[in-house]
Short mmCIF file of all heavy atoms in Angstrom, two decimals:
data_model
loop_
_atom_site.label_atom_id
_atom_site.label_comp_id
_atom_site.label_asym_id
_atom_site.label_seq_id
_atom_site.Cartn_x
_atom_site.Cartn_y
_atom_site.Cartn_z
N ASP A 288 0.82 -1.18 0.03
CA ASP A 288 0.02 0.01 -0.01
C ASP A 288 0.84 1.27 0.01
O ASP A 288 0.52 2.29 0.54
CB ASP A 288 -0.96 0.02 1.17
CG ASP A 288 -1.89 -1.15 1.14
OD1 ASP A 288 -2.44 -1.47 0.07
OD2 ASP A 288 -2.29 -1.67 2.24
N ALA A 289 2.02 1.19 -0.68
CA ALA A 289 2.95 2.29 -0.70
C ALA A 289 3.23 2.87 0.65
O ALA A 289 3.23 4.11 0.81
CB ALA A 289 2.38 3.39 -1.67
N ASN A 290 3.40 2.05 1.60
CA ASN A 290 3.72 2.50 2.98
C ASN A 290 4.98 3.25 3.01
O ASN A 290 5.98 2.85 2.41
CB ASN A 290 3.78 1.26 3.87
CG ASN A 290 4.07 1.66 5.34
OD1 ASN A 290 3.30 2.46 5.92
ND2 ASN A 290 5.14 1.12 5.90
N THR A 291 5.01 4.32 3.71
CA THR A 291 6.17 5.19 3.86
C THR A 291 6.54 5.42 5.29
O THR A 291 5.65 5.47 6.13
CB THR A 291 6.03 6.52 3.10
OG1 THR A 291 4.96 7.22 3.67
CG2 THR A 291 5.77 6.31 1.65
N THR A 292 7.80 5.61 5.52
CA THR A 292 8.31 5.89 6.83
C THR A 292 9.43 6.93 6.75
O THR A 292 10.20 6.83 5.81
CB THR A 292 8.84 4.62 7.55
OG1 THR A 292 7.76 3.64 7.64
CG2 THR A 292 9.24 4.95 8.99
N TYR A 293 9.47 7.83 7.70
CA TYR A 293 10.45 8.89 7.67
C TYR A 293 11.20 9.02 8.95
O TYR A 293 10.63 8.78 10.02
CB TYR A 293 9.85 10.22 7.34
CG TYR A 293 9.18 10.29 5.97
CD1 TYR A 293 7.82 9.96 5.90
CD2 TYR A 293 9.88 10.64 4.84
CE1 TYR A 293 7.17 10.00 4.64
CE2 TYR A 293 9.21 10.70 3.59
CZ TYR A 293 7.90 10.35 3.55
OH TYR A 293 7.29 10.38 2.31
N ALA A 294 12.41 9.42 8.93
CA ALA A 294 13.19 9.79 10.08
C ALA A 294 12.49 11.06 10.68
O ALA A 294 12.04 11.87 10.00
CB ALA A 294 14.64 10.07 9.77
N ASP A 295 12.59 11.10 12.05
CA ASP A 295 11.90 12.20 12.72
C ASP A 295 12.51 13.52 12.22
O ASP A 295 11.79 14.55 12.15
CB ASP A 295 12.08 12.09 14.22
CG ASP A 295 11.30 11.01 14.78
OD1 ASP A 295 10.29 10.58 14.16
OD2 ASP A 295 11.58 10.52 15.93
N SER A 296 13.80 13.55 11.88
CA SER A 296 14.44 14.78 11.50
C SER A 296 13.94 15.36 10.16
O SER A 296 14.19 16.53 9.89
CB SER A 296 15.95 14.51 11.43
OG SER A 296 16.24 13.58 10.50
N VAL A 297 13.27 14.52 9.36
CA VAL A 297 12.86 15.01 8.03
C VAL A 297 11.33 14.99 7.84
O VAL A 297 10.80 15.38 6.80
CB VAL A 297 13.50 14.21 6.92
CG1 VAL A 297 15.02 14.21 7.08
CG2 VAL A 297 12.98 12.80 6.89
N LYS A 298 10.63 14.51 8.84
CA LYS A 298 9.18 14.44 8.70
C LYS A 298 8.58 15.82 8.48
O LYS A 298 8.92 16.84 9.10
CB LYS A 298 8.55 13.85 9.99
CG LYS A 298 8.73 12.37 10.15
CD LYS A 298 8.03 11.83 11.42
CE LYS A 298 8.17 10.35 11.57
NZ LYS A 298 7.52 9.85 12.76
N GLY A 299 7.69 15.81 7.50
CA GLY A 299 7.00 17.13 7.15
C GLY A 299 7.81 17.91 6.15
O GLY A 299 7.27 18.86 5.55
N ARG A 300 9.03 17.51 5.86
CA ARG A 300 9.88 18.21 4.91
C ARG A 300 10.25 17.37 3.66
O ARG A 300 10.34 17.90 2.59
CB ARG A 300 11.14 18.70 5.58
CG ARG A 300 10.94 19.66 6.72
CD ARG A 300 12.22 20.29 7.21
NE ARG A 300 13.14 19.23 7.74
CZ ARG A 300 14.33 19.05 7.22
NH1 ARG A 300 14.76 19.76 6.16
NH2 ARG A 300 15.14 18.12 7.72
N PHE A 301 10.43 16.08 3.89
CA PHE A 301 10.87 15.18 2.78
C PHE A 301 9.68 14.27 2.44
O PHE A 301 8.89 13.92 3.27
CB PHE A 301 11.98 14.30 3.27
CG PHE A 301 13.36 15.06 3.39
CD1 PHE A 301 13.44 16.41 3.42
CD2 PHE A 301 14.52 14.27 3.54
CE1 PHE A 301 14.63 17.07 3.50
CE2 PHE A 301 15.72 14.91 3.71
CZ PHE A 301 15.77 16.30 3.65
N THR A 302 9.63 13.96 1.17
CA THR A 302 8.62 13.00 0.72
C THR A 302 9.26 11.99 -0.22
O THR A 302 9.91 12.35 -1.24
CB THR A 302 7.50 13.73 -0.06
OG1 THR A 302 6.88 14.70 0.79
CG2 THR A 302 6.43 12.70 -0.53
N ILE A 303 9.05 10.69 0.05
CA ILE A 303 9.61 9.62 -0.80
C ILE A 303 8.45 9.11 -1.66
O ILE A 303 7.31 8.96 -1.16
CB ILE A 303 10.19 8.49 0.01
CG1 ILE A 303 10.88 7.47 -0.87
CG2 ILE A 303 9.22 7.84 0.93
CD1 ILE A 303 11.71 6.48 -0.16
N SER A 304 8.73 8.88 -2.88
CA SER A 304 7.74 8.29 -3.81
C SER A 304 8.45 7.55 -4.95
O SER A 304 9.64 7.67 -5.08
CB SER A 304 6.87 9.44 -4.37
OG SER A 304 7.58 10.36 -5.20
N LYS A 305 7.70 6.79 -5.68
CA LYS A 305 8.25 6.06 -6.80
C LYS A 305 7.23 6.08 -7.94
O LYS A 305 6.02 6.02 -7.73
CB LYS A 305 8.74 4.69 -6.45
CG LYS A 305 7.65 3.78 -5.88
CD LYS A 305 8.27 2.44 -5.48
CE LYS A 305 7.22 1.48 -4.89
NZ LYS A 305 7.86 0.18 -4.54
N ASP A 306 7.83 6.00 -9.12
CA ASP A 306 7.00 5.94 -10.35
C ASP A 306 7.38 4.65 -11.03
O ASP A 306 8.50 4.56 -11.60
CB ASP A 306 7.28 7.08 -11.26
CG ASP A 306 6.35 7.20 -12.48
OD1 ASP A 306 5.91 6.14 -12.94
OD2 ASP A 306 6.08 8.30 -12.97
N ASN A 307 6.62 3.64 -10.95
CA ASN A 307 6.90 2.33 -11.48
C ASN A 307 7.04 2.40 -13.01
O ASN A 307 7.90 1.70 -13.53
CB ASN A 307 5.83 1.33 -11.11
CG ASN A 307 5.87 1.01 -9.63
OD1 ASN A 307 6.85 1.07 -8.96
ND2 ASN A 307 4.69 0.63 -9.11
N ALA A 308 6.23 3.14 -13.66
CA ALA A 308 6.26 3.24 -15.09
C ALA A 308 7.66 3.87 -15.58
O ALA A 308 8.13 3.51 -16.65
CB ALA A 308 5.10 4.12 -15.61
N LYS A 309 8.21 4.71 -14.79
CA LYS A 309 9.47 5.37 -15.14
C LYS A 309 10.70 4.67 -14.46
O LYS A 309 11.78 5.11 -14.61
CB LYS A 309 9.43 6.81 -14.82
CG LYS A 309 8.40 7.64 -15.59
CD LYS A 309 8.47 9.06 -15.26
CE LYS A 309 7.47 9.89 -16.09
NZ LYS A 309 7.50 11.31 -15.76
N ASN A 310 10.37 3.66 -13.68
CA ASN A 310 11.49 2.99 -12.99
C ASN A 310 12.33 3.95 -12.14
O ASN A 310 13.57 3.93 -12.20
CB ASN A 310 12.36 2.21 -13.95
CG ASN A 310 11.75 0.92 -14.39
OD1 ASN A 310 10.65 0.55 -14.06
ND2 ASN A 310 12.48 0.16 -15.23
N THR A 311 11.61 4.82 -11.43
CA THR A 311 12.33 5.85 -10.70
C THR A 311 11.83 6.05 -9.30
O THR A 311 10.63 6.04 -9.07
CB THR A 311 12.27 7.18 -11.43
OG1 THR A 311 12.75 7.05 -12.80
CG2 THR A 311 13.09 8.25 -10.77
N LEU A 312 12.77 6.15 -8.37
CA LEU A 312 12.40 6.53 -6.97
C LEU A 312 12.82 7.97 -6.75
O LEU A 312 13.82 8.46 -7.27
CB LEU A 312 13.23 5.62 -6.02
CG LEU A 312 13.05 5.91 -4.57
CD1 LEU A 312 11.68 5.29 -4.09
CD2 LEU A 312 14.20 5.26 -3.74
N TYR A 313 12.03 8.69 -6.06
CA TYR A 313 12.22 10.11 -5.77
C TYR A 313 12.29 10.41 -4.28
O TYR A 313 11.78 9.72 -3.45
CB TYR A 313 11.11 10.94 -6.37
CG TYR A 313 10.91 10.82 -7.84
CD1 TYR A 313 9.92 10.00 -8.39
CD2 TYR A 313 11.73 11.53 -8.73
CE1 TYR A 313 9.69 9.90 -9.72
CE2 TYR A 313 11.54 11.37 -10.11
CZ TYR A 313 10.46 10.53 -10.59
OH TYR A 313 10.34 10.43 -11.92
N LEU A 314 13.00 11.50 -4.00
CA LEU A 314 13.00 12.07 -2.67
C LEU A 314 12.87 13.60 -2.81
O LEU A 314 13.88 14.24 -3.21
CB LEU A 314 14.31 11.74 -1.92
CG LEU A 314 14.29 12.29 -0.43
CD1 LEU A 314 13.21 11.58 0.42
CD2 LEU A 314 15.68 12.05 0.17
N GLN A 315 11.70 14.09 -2.53
CA GLN A 315 11.45 15.51 -2.62
C GLN A 315 11.88 16.08 -1.31
O GLN A 315 11.38 15.69 -0.23
CB GLN A 315 10.01 15.85 -2.91
CG GLN A 315 9.65 17.29 -2.91
CD GLN A 315 10.33 18.04 -4.06
OE1 GLN A 315 10.27 17.56 -5.18
NE2 GLN A 315 10.93 19.17 -3.75
N MET A 316 12.77 17.04 -1.27
CA MET A 316 13.30 17.59 -0.06
C MET A 316 12.96 19.16 -0.06
O MET A 316 13.46 19.86 -0.90
CB MET A 316 14.81 17.38 0.11
CG MET A 316 15.28 15.95 -0.02
SD MET A 316 17.02 15.71 0.26
CE MET A 316 17.67 16.55 -1.21
N ASN A 317 12.15 19.55 0.90
CA ASN A 317 11.81 20.89 1.06
C ASN A 317 12.29 21.46 2.34
O ASN A 317 12.60 20.76 3.27
CB ASN A 317 10.26 21.05 0.99
CG ASN A 317 9.69 20.61 -0.32
OD1 ASN A 317 10.24 20.76 -1.40
ND2 ASN A 317 8.44 19.98 -0.25
N ASN A 318 12.40 22.76 2.40
CA ASN A 318 12.83 23.51 3.60
C ASN A 318 14.12 22.83 4.11
O ASN A 318 14.28 22.50 5.27
CB ASN A 318 11.74 23.49 4.66
CG ASN A 318 12.10 24.36 5.82
OD1 ASN A 318 12.82 25.31 5.72
ND2 ASN A 318 11.52 24.08 7.03
N LEU A 319 15.12 22.76 3.23
CA LEU A 319 16.33 22.14 3.57
C LEU A 319 17.09 22.88 4.67
O LEU A 319 17.04 24.12 4.71
CB LEU A 319 17.23 21.96 2.36
CG LEU A 319 16.78 20.80 1.40
CD1 LEU A 319 17.36 20.94 0.04
CD2 LEU A 319 17.19 19.45 2.03
N LYS A 320 17.74 22.18 5.50
CA LYS A 320 18.57 22.72 6.58
C LYS A 320 20.03 22.34 6.43
O LYS A 320 20.33 21.30 5.83
CB LYS A 320 18.02 22.26 7.95
CG LYS A 320 16.53 22.56 8.21
CD LYS A 320 16.06 21.97 9.50
CE LYS A 320 14.57 22.29 9.70
NZ LYS A 320 14.10 21.71 10.97
N PRO A 321 20.96 23.10 7.00
CA PRO A 321 22.35 22.74 6.97
C PRO A 321 22.62 21.36 7.41
O PRO A 321 23.52 20.69 6.89
CB PRO A 321 23.00 23.80 7.84
CG PRO A 321 22.11 25.01 7.76
CD PRO A 321 20.73 24.40 7.65
N GLU A 322 21.91 20.85 8.44
CA GLU A 322 22.09 19.51 8.98
C GLU A 322 21.68 18.46 7.97
O GLU A 322 21.92 17.26 8.24
CB GLU A 322 21.36 19.30 10.32
CG GLU A 322 19.96 19.76 10.32
CD GLU A 322 19.77 21.16 10.89
OE1 GLU A 322 20.52 22.06 10.44
OE2 GLU A 322 18.81 21.38 11.64
N ASP A 323 21.05 18.83 6.88
CA ASP A 323 20.66 17.88 5.88
C ASP A 323 21.85 17.57 4.94
O ASP A 323 21.71 16.67 4.08
CB ASP A 323 19.50 18.35 5.01
CG ASP A 323 18.19 18.45 5.87
OD1 ASP A 323 17.93 17.56 6.68
OD2 ASP A 323 17.43 19.46 5.64
N THR A 324 22.88 18.32 5.09
CA THR A 324 24.07 18.14 4.20
C THR A 324 24.63 16.71 4.42
O THR A 324 24.93 16.36 5.57
CB THR A 324 25.13 19.20 4.55
OG1 THR A 324 24.67 20.44 4.23
CG2 THR A 324 26.39 18.91 3.76
N ALA A 325 24.75 15.98 3.31
CA ALA A 325 25.25 14.61 3.41
C ALA A 325 25.28 14.03 2.04
O ALA A 325 24.81 14.59 1.05
CB ALA A 325 24.32 13.78 4.29
N MET A 326 25.92 12.86 1.91
CA MET A 326 25.80 12.06 0.68
C MET A 326 24.54 11.21 0.83
O MET A 326 24.34 10.52 1.80
CB MET A 326 26.99 11.15 0.52
CG MET A 326 27.01 10.39 -0.75
SD MET A 326 27.34 11.38 -2.24
CE MET A 326 29.08 11.67 -2.07
N TYR A 327 23.67 11.33 -0.18
CA TYR A 327 22.42 10.64 -0.16
C TYR A 327 22.50 9.41 -1.08
O TYR A 327 22.90 9.49 -2.24
CB TYR A 327 21.28 11.57 -0.60
CG TYR A 327 20.90 12.50 0.50
CD1 TYR A 327 21.68 13.55 0.90
CD2 TYR A 327 19.62 12.31 1.19
CE1 TYR A 327 21.26 14.44 1.95
CE2 TYR A 327 19.26 13.16 2.23
CZ TYR A 327 20.12 14.20 2.54
OH TYR A 327 19.68 15.06 3.57
N TYR A 328 22.01 8.26 -0.55
CA TYR A 328 22.10 7.02 -1.24
C TYR A 328 20.67 6.44 -1.46
O TYR A 328 19.91 6.43 -0.52
CB TYR A 328 22.94 5.98 -0.49
CG TYR A 328 24.42 6.41 -0.35
CD1 TYR A 328 24.85 7.12 0.76
CD2 TYR A 328 25.32 6.08 -1.35
CE1 TYR A 328 26.19 7.46 0.94
CE2 TYR A 328 26.67 6.40 -1.19
CZ TYR A 328 27.03 7.11 -0.06
OH TYR A 328 28.40 7.45 0.07
N CYS A 329 20.46 5.87 -2.58
CA CYS A 329 19.26 5.15 -2.86
C CYS A 329 19.60 3.66 -2.60
O CYS A 329 20.69 3.18 -2.93
CB CYS A 329 18.86 5.30 -4.36
SG CYS A 329 17.53 4.29 -4.90
N ALA A 330 18.62 2.96 -2.00
CA ALA A 330 18.82 1.54 -1.68
C ALA A 330 17.56 0.72 -1.88
O ALA A 330 16.43 1.29 -1.88
CB ALA A 330 19.29 1.41 -0.21
N ALA A 331 17.77 -0.54 -2.18
CA ALA A 331 16.63 -1.43 -2.41
C ALA A 331 16.92 -2.81 -1.85
O ALA A 331 18.10 -3.22 -1.68
CB ALA A 331 16.38 -1.56 -3.92
N ASP A 332 15.81 -3.48 -1.47
CA ASP A 332 15.93 -4.81 -0.92
C ASP A 332 14.62 -5.54 -1.09
O ASP A 332 13.62 -5.00 -1.22
CB ASP A 332 16.28 -4.72 0.60
CG ASP A 332 16.76 -6.09 1.12
OD1 ASP A 332 17.90 -6.46 0.74
OD2 ASP A 332 16.03 -6.66 1.91
N ARG A 333 14.75 -6.86 -1.07
CA ARG A 333 13.54 -7.67 -1.21
C ARG A 333 12.77 -7.86 0.02
O ARG A 333 11.60 -8.30 -0.05
CB ARG A 333 14.00 -9.10 -1.78
CG ARG A 333 14.79 -9.87 -0.77
CD ARG A 333 15.23 -11.24 -1.30
NE ARG A 333 15.95 -12.05 -0.31
CZ ARG A 333 16.42 -13.26 -0.55
NH1 ARG A 333 16.20 -13.79 -1.72
NH2 ARG A 333 17.07 -13.91 0.41
N GLY A 334 13.35 -7.58 1.14
CA GLY A 334 12.64 -7.75 2.36
C GLY A 334 12.52 -9.25 2.66
O GLY A 334 13.20 -10.04 2.11
#
């Protein structure tokens, strides 16, 4: 059901989504803060 979970530090600011037709995962990041500075990695797993 497209369940999503966020770290407390980004709740309300970041949104994760994916477009299956385009084979793309997204992370929309709004109201960015200096503490958001980092290398961001996409990851996948079968669970």
Side-chain angles (χ1 to χ4, degrees):
D288 297 321
N290 180 57
T291 59
T292 304
Y293 299 90
D295 289 340
S296 60
V297 306
K298 285 183 178 178
R300 300 188 298 117
F301 290 11
T302 302
I303 186 172
S304 63
K305 59 182 179 180
D306 188 330
N307 292 331
K309 296 182 178 180
N310 284 1
T311 304
L312 178 75
Y313 300 100
L314 182 66
Q315 178 66 46
M316 305 184 294
N317 297 325
N318 191 24
L319 284 162
K320 303 177 180 180
E322 51 263 43
D323 295 319
T324 295
M326 182 72 75
Y327 283 72
Y328 297 91
C329 173
D332 193 70
R333 66 181 182 179

